Amino acid sequence: MKIINAIPNLPVFEEFSNDEMQELLGMDGVLRNYWDGEFIIKQGEISTALFVLIDGVARITKNNAPKVDLNTLKPGTIFGESPFINHSPRLTNVIAKGEVTVLRLDSRKFDELNPAIANKFQNQLNKLLVSRLNNMNDQLAKVQAGINHFVEIYDGHRKKMEEDPYISEEIKMVQRLWSNYFSDLRTK
């Protein structure tokens, strides 16, 4: 069984002993297969299942842009953590790209886990959430720097337009409205 042999090599399971892995994999129904185009998670559904992608690739989409891949998940990725932690509806879709195998733990199965295994999963979740927060802050900083740069360029052009006697007062008023909007985007 190639998949079962690959599981202990995934970083998410590096702290698990062989006995813990056997216990985890011995739980009824934790390994699930999905086929190309099949939804692993549907946006808006209520479910407390936590997933680890074991084999294959999955894509993340939102209902309002179903053809746009927001991210691609690879083996070892934990997903579905928000509803698992706070019992909220699913925020995105996760769709199999080809054949996919996941480890699926709903809250009932999680409660049945050996406390040592549950603690190791919780440690992995903590690491994941801190990493995602750091990545989000990095991305936000890049976006904000881009907005600030755009606003600086815009302000330079706006000043030239306001001084140009051939531009109508209506255009200048629109420019001032846009300036107010852009100034609200700046980091304060």
Side-chain angles (χ1 to χ4, degrees):
M1 289 202 168
K2 142 187 128 135
I3 291 175
I4 290 179
N5 292 334
I7 292 173
N9 296 325
L10 297 174
V12 68
F13 299 113
E14 66 189 5
E15 295 177 13
F16 286 62
S17 71
N18 286 338
D19 289 342
E20 290 169 337
M21 287 304 302
Q22 291 304 318
E23 184 178 337
L24 180 62
L25 298 175
M27 293 181 80
D28 211 22
V30 295
L31 288 179
R32 300 230 177 140
N33 291 316
Y34 294 87
W35 310 106
D36 190 43
E38 192 174 353
F39 282 76
I40 302 167
I41 288 177
K42 287 185 180 178
Q43 183 179 344
E45 75 182 348
I46 305 296
S47 168
T48 59
L50 175 70
F51 298 84
V52 179
L53 185 59
I54 302 299
D55 190 46
V57 176
R59 64 191 191 98
I60 298 178
T61 68
K62 296 280 272 181
N63 288 344
N64 61 351
K67 294 183 181 189
V68 176
D69 289 358
L70 301 176
N71 201 353
T72 300
L73 305 180
K74 296 180 177 152
T77 304
I78 298 173
F79 60 99
E81 70 281 352
S82 292
F84 179 77
I85 293 169
N86 64 16
H87 305 285
S88 63
R90 299 284 180 191
L91 301 174
T92 60
N93 300 304
V94 178
I95 305 166
K97 286 176 81 171
E99 187 177 346
V100 171
T101 302
V102 300
L103 185 138
R104 181 185 185 277
L105 287 173
D106 61 25
S107 57
R108 185 184 58 78
K109 290 252 189 235
F110 193 82
D111 290 341
E112 294 173 8
L113 286 175
N114 168 334
I117 295 172
N119 284 338
K120 289 178 181 180
F121 263 111
Q122 288 174 332
N123 287 339
Q124 288 298 323
L125 276 175
N126 289 339
K127 289 178 187 177
L128 170 74
L129 295 174
V130 168
S131 171
R132 288 190 180 162
L133 180 60
N134 285 335
N135 288 339
M136 185 178 63
N137 285 336
D138 290 345
Q139 292 301 317
L140 181 59
K142 288 178 186 175
V143 167
Q144 192 62 58
I147 289 170
N148 290 345
H149 181 68
F150 177 80
V151 169
E152 288 171 14
I153 292 169
Y154 176 82
D155 281 345
H157 289 292
R158 180 188 52 82
K159 288 175 187 170
K160 289 177 188 172
M161 288 182 73
E162 285 178 352
E163 294 168 359
D164 191 330
Y166 297 107
I167 294 181
S168 71
E169 287 304 312
E170 290 84 10
I171 297 286
K172 290 178 183 179
M173 182 182 73
V174 169
Q175 290 294 333
R176 284 190 290 279
L177 290 172
W178 275 109
S179 292
N180 290 336
Y181 173 75
F182 288 135
S183 68
D184 287 343
L185 292 177
R186 286 191 169 172
T187 303
K188 302 210 172 25

